[in-house]
Amino acid sequence: MVSPLAKQRKSLLERQANPSASELISGADTESLHIKLIDFEEDRKHLRSFNAIADRIEQKRNVLVPKYKPYVQAYLESGEQFENPIFTNLVIWLFDIKELDTAIEWCMTAIERDLPTPENFRRDWPTFCADEVLSWAENESERGNSIEPYFSTVFEKIEKDWRLHEKVHAKWLKFAGLHLIRNEEGTPQATAIGNLETLEKALALLQNAQDKHSKVGVGTQINKIEQRIRAIKDGTNL
């Protein structure tokens, strides 16, 4: 079975053979791109030889991303719209090494250009980006670290532009709501919050999450927030 990268090389060679269709790509002709794809395939093959995930991530961070990032930057700056497996794979690798500034920017570029995800990849770009950033935000939040600006950047896209599966959307709404009512230890605790506006915003997010996916698991927290809101309005000390 012919791989997508092999098909890409074949297409490039056909374009090279037709002078009228041949064109410059970021200062490199189609032959140089063909060579780059061959080199890239060899690097991916070598990457698969690492057994430990940590070793693969280190290889991506220290070797592969620095090697291919300048080429992809040139490709993006050229404004070319052709499918580029090096670019789409590098988007995945950037998330793997947690270089989120570029990862999110390039992922959104892939969405804007309607480029397919890499071969054998089951999720679309919005779902992949949402999953990766939420996982990162959960880990950073547990450590007491800031989750901005990445969380808000992606959350805005989820709320306004992207059509995600309800379960995925609900997880984001749940996290956003619970993040607003964290205590000093970073644990969601409605009684630790004295600001009505914050509590009402958290409540709306969690109710929306429950509407999106009834099994998202926010019922208890919704009840606690509602009790806290009533206590504040009634002047009761909970």
Side-chain angles (χ1 to χ4, degrees):
M1 183 176 182
V2 181
S3 72
L5 284 177
K7 292 179 181 178
Q8 183 81 357
R9 292 201 309 272
K10 181 175 182 295
S11 174
L12 289 167
L13 288 174
E14 290 173 350
R15 289 168 58 189
Q16 183 186 15
N18 180 2
S20 63
S22 184
E23 58 190 28
L24 292 178
I25 301 173
S26 306
D29 59 19
T30 51
E31 182 178 7
S32 65
L33 179 55
H34 165 61
I35 294 172
K36 183 72 73 175
L37 286 167
I38 294 175
D39 192 24
F40 185 69
E41 272 193 293
E42 289 301 313
D43 282 334
R44 290 210 311 167
K45 182 178 179 180
H46 177 61
L47 182 65
R48 289 193 291 270
S49 70
F50 293 92
N51 289 323
I53 295 176
D55 292 340
R56 293 187 183 188
I57 291 176
E58 184 178 357
Q59 177 74 359
K60 292 172 184 177
R61 178 182 292 111
N62 297 332
V63 178
L64 297 178
V65 169
K67 177 178 180 179
Y68 290 104
K69 191 174 181 180
Y71 162 74
V72 171
Q73 288 172 325
Y75 155 73
L76 294 173
E77 290 170 3
S78 75
E80 295 289 346
Q81 299 293 323
F82 62 89
E83 294 182 16
N84 190 327
I86 299 176
F87 166 57
T88 52
N89 276 277
L90 223 65
V91 173
I92 308 298
W93 292 355
L94 286 167
F95 277 106
D96 289 342
I97 67 175
K98 300 300 182 285
E99 194 173 315
L100 295 187
D101 274 320
T102 306
I104 293 171
E105 178 187 351
W106 285 8
C107 188
M108 291 185 179
T109 297
I111 294 170
E112 291 168 2
R113 297 189 181 188
D114 197 27
L115 296 175
T117 53
E119 57 184 296
N120 301 322
F121 204 77
R122 296 180 179 180
R123 289 171 290 175
D124 59 18
W125 287 121
T127 302
F128 169 70
C129 185
D131 287 344
E132 290 294 312
V133 174
L134 181 58
S135 176
W136 169 85
E138 289 171 340
N139 290 332
E140 292 301 304
S141 180
E142 288 178 2
R143 298 186 180 102
N145 298 329
S146 172
I147 58 174
E148 300 300 345
Y150 309 122
F151 182 81
S152 292
T153 296
V154 175
F155 193 35
E156 182 177 5
K157 285 290 184 181
I158 291 173
E159 291 287 87
K160 296 181 179 180
D161 300 323
W162 296 348
R163 294 286 293 173
L164 300 178
H165 189 280
E166 289 80 358
K167 187 175 182 179
V168 177
H169 196 165
K171 288 193 298 184
W172 268 78
L173 292 164
K174 176 182 179 178
F175 178 84
L178 296 181
H179 192 70
L180 288 175
I181 59 169
R182 292 172 304 153
N183 59 22
E184 293 181 355
E185 287 73 40
T187 303
Q189 182 185 353
T191 55
I193 309 301
N195 185 286
L196 269 177
E197 183 179 353
T198 299
L199 288 165
E200 289 171 348
K201 183 176 180 180
L203 178 62
L205 286 165
L206 296 184
Q207 288 174 332
N208 194 1
Q210 192 168 56
D211 290 342
K212 291 283 184 184
H213 183 63
S214 61
K215 296 182 180 180
V216 71
V218 294
T220 299
Q221 290 293 346
I222 286 175
N223 291 335
K224 289 181 178 180
I225 295 173
E226 289 175 335
Q227 290 173 10
R228 180 60 174 164
I229 290 173
R230 286 195 299 269
I232 291 175
K233 289 181 176 179
D234 296 342
T236 306
N237 184 21
L238 287 181

